[in-house]
Amino acid sequence: MHSFIYASRAQRVVFGPGSLGGLAAELDALGLRRALVLCTPPQRAQAERVAALLGAPRVAGIFDQAVMHVPIEIARQAREAARELGADCAVAVGGGSTIGLGKAIALDSGLPVIAVPTTYAGSEMTPIYGLTEAGVKKTGKDDRVLPRSVVYDPELSLSLPVSMSVTSGINAIAHAAEGLYSPDGNPIMDLMAQEGIRALAQALPAIHAGANGADLLQARGDALYGAWLCGTVLGSVGMALHHKLCHTLGGSFNLPHAEVHTVVLPQALAYNAAAAPQAMARIAAALGAPAAATGVFDLASSLGAPTALRDIGMRQEDLDRACDIALQTPYPNPRPLEREALRALLQNAYDGRRPQ
Ligand code: NAD
């Protein structure tokens, strides 16, 4: 066994159907009295339900303007609202965009964040934040932004549309897949990564197939459990080519986050396959597929998810520039970054070609 360092972070996780009912107790246990509840405009009703459950004295207000990639102007408005309303914490009800807004408030003010995730993106388990200023998204790491407590209630994810559930779930699988070949990986993260992939690979087909009643709640719970594990991997070990490419494509060409991850993951795994055989074997086993790259591609296409960049807004004429940006800053990756091979990867992703 290779040498490793394992560090755990102080965070509470409250999990299960109906666990939202315990949110007020979470705030009380942390000594928090007045929450600013955050959401996107379409999730206002969910945020209002959360506010009602918290009870009026514990709610400073609802800020419903969270949007993708945390524009600095929205972050400033939210910080100002928190200050004016006398909030002592932020309760983020939503996916990565809303939790990202909570993190932006925490970064500046130190206000603790309590996360109530409703997608599988995993931001709630990471100290990573992102802020977009003048069209450029910058990311950083700061322990102050890590949510103190995370309440995972699968009932809240029942309303996540099936197509978004699939791409969000594959976004989560991407964290675990790259965690398995991370140079700072460790055996605990490997266990979490494999179990996270397994749980999502089993749950997503059931959600897609239209499971209902208790079966659907079970599948939603399994998917959220997988998302928790995969998010923990993202927050604990370094990511590589796949995440860098998605950051470039999402940030520079304004492509939708979870869809980009879904399209690029099989191609990135194919690129790294020969350089990380052990990780690939683990990913394949967790997927229940013969190989990692084709396993992810087949999972996505069997669930009706996009497999081609051209279908999610990328333009052929931008592929060269995407390749240049991806090569600008070096970072660790199992296989060295080779221009020609990377350009071929992008072409395959653009065309939606099944990896060999
Ligand atoms: P999102 O938060 O943007 O949500 C997408 C849409 O789905 C929104 O309109 C949202 O309101 C809606 N939605 C979410 N949950 C719903 C539900 N249960 N029912 C109905 N509608 C629902 O999408 P996301 O993929 O979760 O997050 C993407 C963002 O998060 C990106 O900006 C990405 O960079 C960031 N992210 C950050 C980290 C991190 O560690 N910092 C990790 C993952 C993602």
Side-chain angles (χ1 to χ4, degrees):
M1 182 176 283
H2 66 88
S3 309
F4 60 86
I5 295 173
Y6 169 76
S8 61
R9 292 197 170 86
Q11 224 182 352
R12 275 172 64 82
V13 170
V14 182
F15 194 100
S19 58
L20 189 60
L23 180 64
E26 282 305 296
L27 262 67
D28 293 348
L30 291 165
L32 301 170
R33 296 181 192 289
R34 275 176 72 75
L36 181 63
V37 180
L38 308 174
C39 64
T40 59
Q43 285 183 277
R44 172 93 198 184
Q46 261 178 345
E48 280 172 3
R49 213 185 117 214
V50 169
L53 273 171
L54 281 175
R58 285 196 200 84
V59 179
I62 297 179
F63 183 90
D64 65 3
Q65 293 302 308
V67 288
M68 188 84 88
H69 303 315
V70 198
I72 188 94
E73 301 77 19
I74 301 283
R76 287 192 185 120
Q77 282 175 33
R79 286 167 187 163
E80 191 49 28
R83 203 188 53 76
E84 271 178 11
L85 294 164
D88 65 0
C89 65
V91 171
V93 184
S97 299
T98 306
I99 294 166
L101 180 61
K103 289 176 166 182
I105 297 175
L107 186 67
D108 190 58
S109 64
L111 288 196
V113 181
I114 314 299
V116 183
T118 64
T119 71
Y120 308 134
S123 175
E124 65 280 357
M125 297 311 296
T126 84
I128 305 162
Y129 62 87
L131 274 170
T132 303
E133 187 162 14
V136 181
K137 182 168 178 177
K138 291 190 178 134
T139 57
K141 250 187 180 184
D142 193 315
D143 278 335
R144 276 180 307 174
V145 309
L146 182 78
R148 297 276 183 88
S149 180
V150 182
V151 177
Y152 282 110
D153 190 334
E155 284 172 9
L156 285 173
S157 61
L158 290 172
S159 54
L160 188 66
V162 170
S163 60
M164 278 166 62
S165 303
V166 171
T167 52
S168 191
I170 296 176
N171 179 195
I173 289 176
H175 310 326
E178 288 225 296
L180 282 164
Y181 52 62
S182 178
D184 58 357
N186 63 65
I188 299 292
M189 286 306 128
D190 289 354
L191 289 173
M192 286 191 162
Q194 288 171 90
E195 174 66 355
I197 296 173
R198 186 206 60 74
L200 280 155
Q202 280 194 0
L204 296 180
I207 293 169
H208 179 256
N212 48 38
D215 290 347
L216 179 58
L217 197 58
Q218 178 70 43
R220 286 290 185 182
D222 289 346
L224 207 53
Y225 161 70
W228 164 46
L229 297 174
C230 294
T232 305
V233 176
L234 173 68
S236 305
V237 303
M239 297 287 113
L241 174 67
H242 168 77
H243 279 75
K244 304 292 172 189
L245 272 181
C246 291
H247 183 79
T248 300
L249 292 166
S252 307
F253 304 99
N254 199 26
L255 304 185
H257 176 83
E259 286 89 334
V260 172
H261 274 270
T262 302
V263 171
V264 172
L265 185 60
Q267 311 299 343
L269 292 179
Y271 183 97
N272 280 332
Q278 227 182 14
M280 297 301 156
R282 287 175 162 163
I283 297 165
L287 289 168
T294 48
V296 174
F297 187 93
D298 294 345
L299 179 69
S301 55
S302 70
L303 301 180
T307 51
L309 289 178
R310 66 167 170 229
D311 294 338
I312 59 167
M314 187 72 185
R315 299 183 316 172
Q316 166 77 39
E317 57 265 40
D318 285 333
L319 292 178
D320 285 335
R321 193 154 66 90
C323 190
D324 290 342
I325 301 173
L327 284 165
Q328 261 166 16
T329 355
Y331 48 83
N333 189 61
R335 174 179 170 189
L337 300 186
E338 300 151 17
R339 177 175 291 274
E340 214 174 305
L342 205 58
R343 182 61 181 79
L345 181 169
L346 284 166
Q347 192 65 49
N348 289 338
Y350 181 79
D351 293 332
R353 203 165 293 148
R354 185 176 185 269
Q356 295 306 306

